[in-house]
Amino acid sequence: MNVATEDYLKTIFNLTQQQDRAGTKDIADRLGISQASVTGYLQKLAGSDPPLILYKKRDGASLTEAGTRWALKVIRNHRLIETFLYRTLGYSWDRVHDEACRMEHVISEEFEARIAELLGNPTHDPHGDPIPDRNLHMPDEKALSLAELQPGDVAMIERVSDSDAALLRYLEKNRLVPGKRLTVKERSPFDQNMTLRIHGVRGKVVLGPSVAQQVFVEKEVRHVHTAA
Amino acid sequence: MNVATEDYLKTIFNLTQQQDRAGTKDIADRLGISQASVTGYLQKLAGSDPPLILYKKRDGASLTEAGTRWALKVIRNHRLIETFLYRTLGYSWDRVHDEACRMEHVISEEFEARIAELLGNPTHDPHGDPIPDRNLHMPDEKALSLAELQPGDVAMIERVSDSDAALLRYLEKNRLVPGKRLTVKERSPFDQNMTLRIHGVRGKVVLGPSVAQQVFVEKEVRHVHTAA
DNA sequence: AAAGGAAATTAGGCATCCCTAAGTAGAAAG
DNA sequence: CTTTCTACTTAGGGATGCCTAATTTCCTTT
């Protein structure tokens, strides 16, 4: 019921998916506020009853049970809303994020339940992010970035980073959307540019590392003969 | 983009539908806050650029052009959302108001436009309140309360007050919903209780004045011979 | 070991929007 | 005309959530 708290919890959850603890600076950067503000708020979250985060001075924050549950609730809301906007209201996939960021804090459990049912309890949002289920269970997502693949690798796009609208438009134009299979053709040792073939699409795509890092894939097991 | 401001504007709009100006106390009562807080906020709204209200000390507030436009935008959002929750998501009519009160402040113009289209540009919400159109035009609603009818009068229910969920459940159970026609059979001179026949429904309904005041009707023209 | 730099914290402050308590203005009633 | 009541306003204050500036901690580098 509190926008600021929910934004902090969501951010800490996301950060601790990859690192152990979420640092003050990282949180400040993601929320677009000052480090000092974050320090103050972390102290508050750690001191609430029940505590929502574990916080040790100069050692960042991590979520408690209660904090995790709350974060997952917000993330479920967010991703259900995104799916709903995309599928039911016909939003383009680059416009769902901002709307969901505002709506996620105000919808009731009834709203959540009704859109989940309307959508047939979807498991992934339009960017491929997994949606926690009713009991807030969410499958582990191994985050293998496209940027980590080598020439010859074949992979399927699983999800893409959802918060940069311009990036999403670019990815869509190049057919880099969840579900597509691709083969890595080349990788420049200088600028790390990758040349890809997307299966079922003519032509090739060259991606800089900053883009490739935002696309996450599942690598396919290589067969004896490397793909041509 | 500001919940407090939008709530004030909405409240002043509603109050000035019936009276000339909205008094501090009336606003405070509707918003559930103190009169002192209202005074302070009215001064702020009157001093903003452009001014959203006209405010003279001890003489209440009324909306300016800009204030009216903003209020109508929020009211359009509210009523579209109510209609959407009711029709598309299957909400019961007593649960749509609270959800709409929160969502109305956060949805974008795109959301508004898309649900309006999905619903076929509805002109009335589930309680019968008119929805301002895209250009924020709203038909005048003459507010003839059921409580003002006399025995023998025939009328059609146009709309009902939407903010009291328990009242809405009661009305629905008694089939007192927009579109129904009814005849006033009796009116007790002591307690002002009204006895009604609702057309197409067997039996009679007795309503106290506090309920009858919340139901608004369009009276049908009486014919030569007064109804029995 | 000392210096430099990045990250984090504390101190002090501001805007927003609410509160209670106390005082004022104006209308209705005696 | 004066009292009284109600609506309204002013004064002063509190919680929230952000800010900048200054300081501290700790890690790396030399």
Side-chain angles (χ1 to χ4, degrees):
Chain A
M1 318 203 158
N2 181 315
V3 176
T5 297
E6 294 187 347
D7 282 340
Y8 275 95
L9 294 178
K10 207 173 49 156
T11 303
I12 296 167
F13 182 92
N14 286 329
L15 285 168
T16 50
Q17 291 292 95
Q18 286 158 357
Q19 316 156 30
D20 216 55
R21 336 210 81 228
T24 305
K25 184 182 191 308
D26 288 342
I27 299 171
D29 287 347
R30 292 240 185 157
L31 292 177
I33 61 182
S34 73
Q35 290 186 36
S37 301
V38 173
T39 299
Y41 212 93
L42 292 182
Q43 290 166 350
K44 176 185 159 152
L45 290 176
S48 71
D49 182 42
L52 296 167
I53 64 170
L54 295 173
Y55 170 65
K56 259 185 68 178
K57 259 189 195 176
R58 291 168 209 282
D59 193 31
S62 63
L63 298 177
T64 60
E65 260 307 298
T68 304
R69 224 174 308 123
W70 196 347
L72 283 169
K73 227 176 230 186
V74 179
I75 290 168
R76 173 166 162 83
N77 282 352
H78 182 97
R79 295 180 182 170
L80 278 176
I81 292 167
E82 283 193 346
T83 309
F84 169 77
L85 295 174
Y86 184 75
R87 286 207 221 154
T88 306
L89 294 189
Y91 272 63
S92 63
W93 84 335
D94 58 304
R95 313 201 80 175
V96 299
H97 180 76
D98 289 353
E99 192 90 51
C101 273
R102 293 190 308 270
M103 288 179 64
E104 66 190 5
H105 306 293
V106 305
I107 69 169
S108 66
E109 295 195 354
E110 176 166 8
F111 190 97
E112 171 224 309
R114 286 188 183 272
I115 61 173
E117 207 205 317
L118 179 76
L119 297 165
N121 297 302
T123 59
H124 292 81
D125 74 16
H127 315 102
D129 284 311
I131 302 175
D133 69 18
R134 257 184 303 258
N135 304 315
L136 303 181
H137 221 274
M138 185 162 67
D140 284 359
E141 33 179 318
K142 32 191 155 17
L144 178 66
S145 158
L146 178 53
E148 295 169 59
L149 296 187
Q150 297 303 322
D153 282 343
V154 176
M156 164 125 83
I157 297 177
E158 207 157 62
R159 59 190 179 86
V160 301
S161 178
D162 72 339
S163 47
D164 182 341
L167 175 69
L168 287 170
R169 284 191 292 274
Y170 178 76
L171 292 175
E172 188 170 49
K173 207 168 55 191
N174 287 291
R175 303 286 163 66
L176 287 157
V177 299
K180 286 280 182 203
R181 291 175 71 230
L182 55 80
T183 304
V184 178
K185 302 307 260 185
E186 297 173 36
R187 211 178 131 148
S188 155
F190 306 110
D191 53 14
Q192 303 297 318
N193 271 357
M194 305 182 81
T195 305
L196 309 174
R197 252 197 52 71
I198 300 163
H199 299 199
V201 177
R202 66 166 55 237
K204 291 182 187 145
V205 184
V206 180
L207 291 187
S210 65
V211 174
Q213 271 160 17
Q214 311 275 48
V215 177
F216 300 92
V217 299
E218 178 151 32
K219 201 164 121 182
E220 292 186 12
V221 179
R222 292 276 273 302
H223 296 286
V224 181
H225 46 280
T226 301
Chain B
M1 318 205 158
N2 179 316
V3 177
T5 297
E6 295 187 346
D7 282 340
Y8 275 96
L9 294 178
K10 206 174 49 154
T11 303
I12 295 168
F13 182 92
N14 286 330
L15 284 169
T16 51
Q17 290 293 93
Q18 286 156 0
Q19 315 154 32
D20 215 56
R21 335 209 81 229
T24 306
K25 185 183 191 306
D26 288 343
I27 299 170
D29 287 349
R30 292 239 186 158
L31 293 176
I33 62 182
S34 73
Q35 290 186 34
S37 301
V38 173
T39 297
Y41 212 93
L42 292 183
Q43 289 166 350
K44 177 185 160 152
L45 290 177
S48 71
D49 183 42
L52 297 167
I53 65 170
L54 296 172
Y55 171 64
K56 260 185 66 180
K57 261 189 193 174
R58 289 167 210 281
D59 193 32
S62 62
L63 297 178
T64 60
E65 259 308 296
T68 303
R69 223 175 309 122
W70 196 345
L72 282 169
K73 227 175 228 184
V74 179
I75 289 169
R76 173 166 162 85
N77 281 353
H78 181 98
R79 295 182 181 170
L80 278 176
I81 292 166
E82 283 194 346
T83 308
F84 168 76
L85 296 174
Y86 184 75
R87 287 206 220 155
T88 306
L89 294 188
Y91 272 62
S92 63
W93 85 336
D94 59 304
R95 314 200 82 175
V96 298
H97 180 75
D98 289 354
E99 193 90 51
C101 272
R102 292 190 309 270
M103 289 179 62
E104 65 190 6
H105 306 293
V106 306
I107 68 167
S108 67
E109 293 195 354
E110 177 165 10
F111 190 96
E112 173 223 306
R114 287 190 183 271
I115 60 173
E117 206 204 318
L118 180 76
L119 297 166
N121 297 302
T123 59
H124 292 81
D125 74 15
H127 315 101
D129 285 310
I131 301 175
D133 69 19
R134 257 184 303 259
N135 305 316
L136 303 181
H137 220 275
M138 182 162 68
D140 284 359
E141 35 179 319
K142 36 193 150 23
L144 179 65
S145 158
L146 178 53
E148 294 169 61
L149 296 187
Q150 297 303 323
D153 283 342
V154 176
M156 164 123 84
I157 297 177
E158 207 156 62
R159 61 191 178 85
V160 302
S161 177
D162 72 339
S163 48
D164 181 343
L167 173 70
L168 287 170
R169 285 191 292 277
Y170 177 76
L171 292 175
E172 187 171 49
K173 208 169 56 192
N174 287 291
R175 305 285 165 63
L176 287 157
V177 300
K180 285 282 183 201
R181 291 176 70 231
L182 55 80
T183 304
V184 179
K185 302 307 261 185
E186 294 174 41
R187 211 178 133 147
S188 156
F190 306 110
D191 52 15
Q192 303 295 321
N193 272 357
M194 304 182 82
T195 306
L196 309 173
R197 254 196 53 69
I198 299 162
H199 299 199
V201 178
R202 68 167 54 237
K204 291 180 186 146
V205 184
V206 180
L207 293 187
S210 66
V211 174
Q213 271 160 18
Q214 311 274 46
V215 177
F216 299 92
V217 299
E218 179 152 29
K219 202 164 122 183
E220 292 187 10
V221 179
R222 293 276 273 302
H223 296 287
V224 180
H225 43 282
T226 303

